[in-house]
Amino acid sequence: MRLELKAALNLDPAKAESGWVLVQLDDKAPVKVAVQETGPDTGIFIAPYTVPPGITKQLTASYGYWGLGSQAVCSIR
């Protein structure tokens, strides 16, 4: 799958930047996944991600803290 987010992580409009999202699978502890901006000043960050075998419920991807964050939940079938 492809993780993609539009985020205010873009601090320098002259260069493509990087950041990270938290990915939680089922009830496991979340892990950081690095994302890369698609180009200078786009504000779009992407990363390829492979769901490991044995995950049966859901994937939750999130970024940000204290009411400024965002999350998406995907059901695994």
Side-chain angles (χ1 to χ4, degrees):
M1 76 182 321
R2 176 174 146 156
L3 300 175
E4 180 176 326
L5 64 140
K6 184 171 185 174
L9 301 172
N10 187 25
L11 301 175
D12 184 347
K15 67 177 187 174
E17 299 180 89
S18 61
W20 52 269
V21 297
L22 289 175
V23 173
Q24 182 174 10
L25 301 166
D26 290 346
D27 297 326
K28 300 181 184 314
V31 295
K32 286 184 179 180
V33 176
V35 292
Q36 181 66 43
E37 193 171 19
T38 58
D41 206 28
T42 65
I44 306 293
F45 293 79
I46 62 170
Y49 186 79
T50 301
V51 178
I55 301 304
T56 59
K57 296 178 188 171
Q58 68 182 24
L59 177 147
T60 302
S62 61
Y63 77 96
Y65 299 99
W66 305 298
L68 298 175
S70 184
Q71 78 173 21
V73 178
C74 300
S75 295
I76 305 292
R77 294 183 190 188

